[in-house]
Structure formats: C-alpha cells, structure tokens
Amino acid sequence: MKRALQSCLIVAGSLFTVAAAQAHISVSGPAFAGATHEATFGVGHGCDGADTYRVKVQIPAGVTSVRPLDSTLGKAALEKDTEGNVTAVVWTKAAADVLPADTNYYKLAVRFKVPDAPFKTLYFPTLQTCRTADGTETIAEWVDTSGEHGSHDADAGTPATHPAPSLAVLPPRSPGWNKYTVNEHVHDLSVFQDALIVWAGKAAYSPNPNTQSLIMTEPDTEVLTMIHPGTEIWVKY
C-alpha cells in the first residue's frame, strides 16, 4: 500500500458518506452470501395519483426459506411452484382501505436465506397495481433486470424506465483487510460503497472521493473500474 493512500485511509472513514440510490421500488441491502437477510421493499409512489392496491414481488431462483411479514398495505400471500418453492410474495389491500389519492409510503418486508453467491446481483421483478376510488386499476411493471437504467428522483413520479429492485450479495467480511476471489463479473463497483479501498493487482478503487483522487494520481497505480471472474482482490472495511 502506498504511503499517501495509507494516510488517506486513516481519515477516510470519517469523511465517507454514502449517497442512497433513488428508485421507485427499492430494496434494503446489501445482503451477505449464505446468510439470512431481512429485506424491506419500499414503495415510494402509486401510479399517476392513484393509491397502491397490490404489490407482487417475484422471488429469484436460489433464494430459499422465504417468510414474509404482513404490512399496512395488507396481508402477505405466497405463490409456489409445483415443487413447493416460493416464487412470489403478494400483498393486497382490502378494497375498502384504498386511499382516495397517492399519499402513503409503504414498507414490505421478507426474510429469506441468501444464496452462497458472493458478488452476484439478485433481481426481484415487481408488479405494482394501483387503484382509483372508482375501481380503475393500472399496473406498473418494475421488471427490468438489465442493470442499465436512468436515475430517478423519488419525488418526481414514475421514471421512464422500470428497473426491478436489485440486491447486491457480498461475501462475509471482518474489520480490516479481506481477501476474496471474485467469481462474478462485477461491472458496478458500488457494491463496495462501504469499503475504504479495493485492490486488484496494481489497480485500486475507493468510494471515497479523496482516496479515489489519490489513486488517480499515484504513480504505478491503475484505476479499478471493473472486476473479471477469477480475480483475486483485497478489500479494506
């Protein structure tokens, strides 16, 4: 580790702040490989002024031991395949409880076992059904799993694209340096948003702008922009 970067890491923890990504339907994370995770799905808006009436969250393959919580939106119901695996969780409001306008924020919680797949991204395609006072229903499909979509202002209404809620899976960690072999192609280094620095050979990355500036100017040090499968990395938390 270069001396300048070592000095910067001493104060990086106090300077680092994480900017929360804005999404229409979000999911809390990250999750850790092989562990139990309680994910909270946040439903920030209804549809064009109408209240949210039903939310169906699809459960990706590999996610097991799914146990949802009832919500103020409604009781949770499970959908399963022929082998008994949970494929979706659905929360539905009683028709009499539908609000006359889009005024409320809803939280939907599910506890599950995370697959042992470090650095994988889990997508939860979601169907949001809204209902007006006269019973007219509209559906917003949050099902894009490409990982390529524009930013969204949480207070600006429905974005042009419809990204599915996504959850980053991280390997177990301990304070200080952690050594990993990455078996997934990591294009989005925001999975390290709470790390101090990441090293892969002579390349480095930090979510802290001060540390990242030093990486960019440090002799014989490259800027890490993506990680290929089979790469050995060191991460300091």
mmCIF file of all heavy atoms in Angstrom, residues 82-99:
data_model
loop_
_atom_site.group_PDB
_atom_site.id
_atom_site.type_symbol
_atom_site.label_atom_id
_atom_site.label_comp_id
_atom_site.label_asym_id
_atom_site.label_seq_id
_atom_site.Cartn_x
_atom_site.Cartn_y
_atom_site.Cartn_z
ATOM 1 N N THR A 82 -44.665 -26.074 -8.503
ATOM 2 C CA THR A 82 -45.126 -27.439 -8.245
ATOM 3 C C THR A 82 -44.251 -28.190 -7.251
ATOM 4 O O THR A 82 -44.682 -29.194 -6.673
ATOM 5 C CB THR A 82 -45.181 -28.236 -9.565
ATOM 6 O OG1 THR A 82 -43.888 -28.197 -10.197
ATOM 7 C CG2 THR A 82 -46.219 -27.633 -10.505
ATOM 8 N N GLU A 83 -43.011 -27.703 -7.043
ATOM 9 C CA GLU A 83 -42.105 -28.349 -6.095
ATOM 10 C C GLU A 83 -42.151 -27.697 -4.720
ATOM 11 O O GLU A 83 -41.395 -28.089 -3.821
ATOM 12 C CB GLU A 83 -40.670 -28.313 -6.649
ATOM 13 C CG GLU A 83 -40.511 -29.095 -7.953
ATOM 14 C CD GLU A 83 -39.089 -29.051 -8.477
ATOM 15 O OE1 GLU A 83 -38.274 -28.291 -7.908
ATOM 16 O OE2 GLU A 83 -38.795 -29.769 -9.448
ATOM 17 N N GLY A 84 -43.009 -26.709 -4.566
ATOM 18 C CA GLY A 84 -43.162 -26.072 -3.260
ATOM 19 C C GLY A 84 -42.231 -24.903 -3.014
ATOM 20 O O GLY A 84 -42.202 -24.354 -1.906
ATOM 21 N N ASN A 85 -41.477 -24.494 -4.024
ATOM 22 C CA ASN A 85 -40.590 -23.344 -3.875
ATOM 23 C C ASN A 85 -41.390 -22.052 -4.006
ATOM 24 O O ASN A 85 -42.231 -21.921 -4.896
ATOM 25 C CB ASN A 85 -39.491 -23.371 -4.935
ATOM 26 C CG ASN A 85 -38.646 -24.616 -4.864
ATOM 27 O OD1 ASN A 85 -38.136 -24.967 -3.798
ATOM 28 N ND2 ASN A 85 -38.500 -25.311 -5.990
ATOM 29 N N VAL A 86 -41.104 -21.097 -3.134
ATOM 30 C CA VAL A 86 -41.793 -19.810 -3.195
ATOM 31 C C VAL A 86 -41.297 -19.036 -4.415
ATOM 32 O O VAL A 86 -40.089 -18.822 -4.583
ATOM 33 C CB VAL A 86 -41.557 -18.984 -1.919
ATOM 34 C CG1 VAL A 86 -42.202 -17.601 -2.043
ATOM 35 C CG2 VAL A 86 -42.116 -19.708 -0.704
ATOM 36 N N THR A 87 -42.225 -18.628 -5.273
ATOM 37 C CA THR A 87 -41.872 -17.893 -6.490
ATOM 38 C C THR A 87 -42.266 -16.418 -6.419
ATOM 39 O O THR A 87 -41.769 -15.613 -7.198
ATOM 40 C CB THR A 87 -42.545 -18.517 -7.716
ATOM 41 O OG1 THR A 87 -43.968 -18.532 -7.517
ATOM 42 C CG2 THR A 87 -42.049 -19.952 -7.921
ATOM 43 N N ALA A 88 -43.178 -16.071 -5.501
ATOM 44 C CA ALA A 88 -43.600 -14.678 -5.381
ATOM 45 C C ALA A 88 -44.292 -14.461 -4.041
ATOM 46 O O ALA A 88 -44.820 -15.392 -3.431
ATOM 47 C CB ALA A 88 -44.548 -14.294 -6.525
ATOM 48 N N VAL A 89 -44.241 -13.199 -3.600
ATOM 49 C CA VAL A 89 -44.989 -12.775 -2.418
ATOM 50 C C VAL A 89 -45.908 -11.637 -2.856
ATOM 51 O O VAL A 89 -45.477 -10.727 -3.573
ATOM 52 C CB VAL A 89 -44.060 -12.292 -1.290
ATOM 53 C CG1 VAL A 89 -44.882 -11.897 -0.058
ATOM 54 C CG2 VAL A 89 -43.031 -13.359 -0.930
ATOM 55 N N VAL A 90 -47.181 -11.704 -2.433
ATOM 56 C CA VAL A 90 -48.179 -10.724 -2.862
ATOM 57 C C VAL A 90 -48.841 -10.095 -1.634
ATOM 58 O O VAL A 90 -49.300 -10.809 -0.740
ATOM 59 C CB VAL A 90 -49.263 -11.373 -3.747
ATOM 60 C CG1 VAL A 90 -50.221 -10.306 -4.258
ATOM 61 C CG2 VAL A 90 -48.631 -12.133 -4.908
ATOM 62 N N TRP A 91 -48.853 -8.770 -1.623
ATOM 63 C CA TRP A 91 -49.583 -8.024 -0.588
ATOM 64 C C TRP A 91 -50.746 -7.309 -1.280
ATOM 65 O O TRP A 91 -50.549 -6.616 -2.279
ATOM 66 C CB TRP A 91 -48.703 -6.979 0.084
ATOM 67 C CG TRP A 91 -47.592 -7.510 0.924
ATOM 68 C CD1 TRP A 91 -47.598 -7.703 2.279
ATOM 69 C CD2 TRP A 91 -46.268 -7.875 0.491
ATOM 70 N NE1 TRP A 91 -46.383 -8.181 2.715
ATOM 71 C CE2 TRP A 91 -45.545 -8.294 1.639
ATOM 72 C CE3 TRP A 91 -45.638 -7.909 -0.754
ATOM 73 C CZ2 TRP A 91 -44.232 -8.717 1.564
ATOM 74 C CZ3 TRP A 91 -44.330 -8.333 -0.829
ATOM 75 C CH2 TRP A 91 -43.640 -8.735 0.323
ATOM 76 N N THR A 92 -51.964 -7.462 -0.755
ATOM 77 C CA THR A 92 -53.140 -6.842 -1.355
ATOM 78 C C THR A 92 -53.948 -6.103 -0.299
ATOM 79 O O THR A 92 -54.218 -6.651 0.782
ATOM 80 C CB THR A 92 -54.043 -7.894 -2.027
ATOM 81 O OG1 THR A 92 -53.266 -8.646 -2.981
ATOM 82 C CG2 THR A 92 -55.208 -7.225 -2.745
ATOM 83 N N LYS A 93 -54.325 -4.874 -0.598
ATOM 84 C CA LYS A 93 -55.162 -4.090 0.300
ATOM 85 C C LYS A 93 -56.613 -4.550 0.221
ATOM 86 O O LYS A 93 -57.076 -4.991 -0.839
ATOM 87 C CB LYS A 93 -55.123 -2.607 -0.119
ATOM 88 C CG LYS A 93 -54.211 -1.735 0.709
ATOM 89 C CD LYS A 93 -54.453 -0.284 0.363
ATOM 90 C CE LYS A 93 -53.590 0.608 1.251
ATOM 91 N NZ LYS A 93 -53.875 2.032 0.990
ATOM 92 N N ALA A 94 -57.309 -4.396 1.316
ATOM 93 C CA ALA A 94 -58.760 -4.556 1.255
ATOM 94 C C ALA A 94 -59.309 -3.400 0.429
ATOM 95 O O ALA A 94 -58.839 -2.256 0.546
ATOM 96 C CB ALA A 94 -59.348 -4.530 2.660
ATOM 97 N N ALA A 95 -60.267 -3.677 -0.448
ATOM 98 C CA ALA A 95 -60.795 -2.636 -1.336
ATOM 99 C C ALA A 95 -61.289 -1.422 -0.553
ATOM 100 O O ALA A 95 -61.130 -0.276 -0.993
ATOM 101 C CB ALA A 95 -61.923 -3.209 -2.190
ATOM 102 N N ALA A 96 -61.833 -1.660 0.611
ATOM 103 C CA ALA A 96 -62.363 -0.557 1.417
ATOM 104 C C ALA A 96 -61.256 0.337 1.988
ATOM 105 O O ALA A 96 -61.516 1.469 2.412
ATOM 106 C CB ALA A 96 -63.224 -1.106 2.555
ATOM 107 N N ASP A 97 -60.007 -0.175 1.996
ATOM 108 C CA ASP A 97 -58.895 0.580 2.577
ATOM 109 C C ASP A 97 -58.112 1.379 1.543
ATOM 110 O O ASP A 97 -57.163 2.084 1.895
ATOM 111 C CB ASP A 97 -57.937 -0.367 3.303
ATOM 112 C CG ASP A 97 -58.569 -0.992 4.533
ATOM 113 O OD1 ASP A 97 -59.507 -0.389 5.082
ATOM 114 O OD2 ASP A 97 -58.122 -2.096 4.933
ATOM 115 N N VAL A 98 -58.480 1.255 0.262
ATOM 116 C CA VAL A 98 -57.771 2.007 -0.776
ATOM 117 C C VAL A 98 -57.994 3.500 -0.552
ATOM 118 O O VAL A 98 -59.127 3.961 -0.366
ATOM 119 C CB VAL A 98 -58.261 1.605 -2.172
ATOM 120 C CG1 VAL A 98 -57.601 2.475 -3.244
ATOM 121 C CG2 VAL A 98 -57.948 0.131 -2.435
ATOM 122 N N LEU A 99 -56.895 4.259 -0.552
ATOM 123 C CA LEU A 99 -56.963 5.695 -0.280
ATOM 124 C C LEU A 99 -57.450 6.455 -1.516
ATOM 125 O O LEU A 99 -57.239 6.007 -2.655
ATOM 126 C CB LEU A 99 -55.594 6.205 0.150
ATOM 127 C CG LEU A 99 -55.005 5.541 1.400
ATOM 128 C CD1 LEU A 99 -53.597 6.072 1.669
ATOM 129 C CD2 LEU A 99 -55.902 5.770 2.616
#
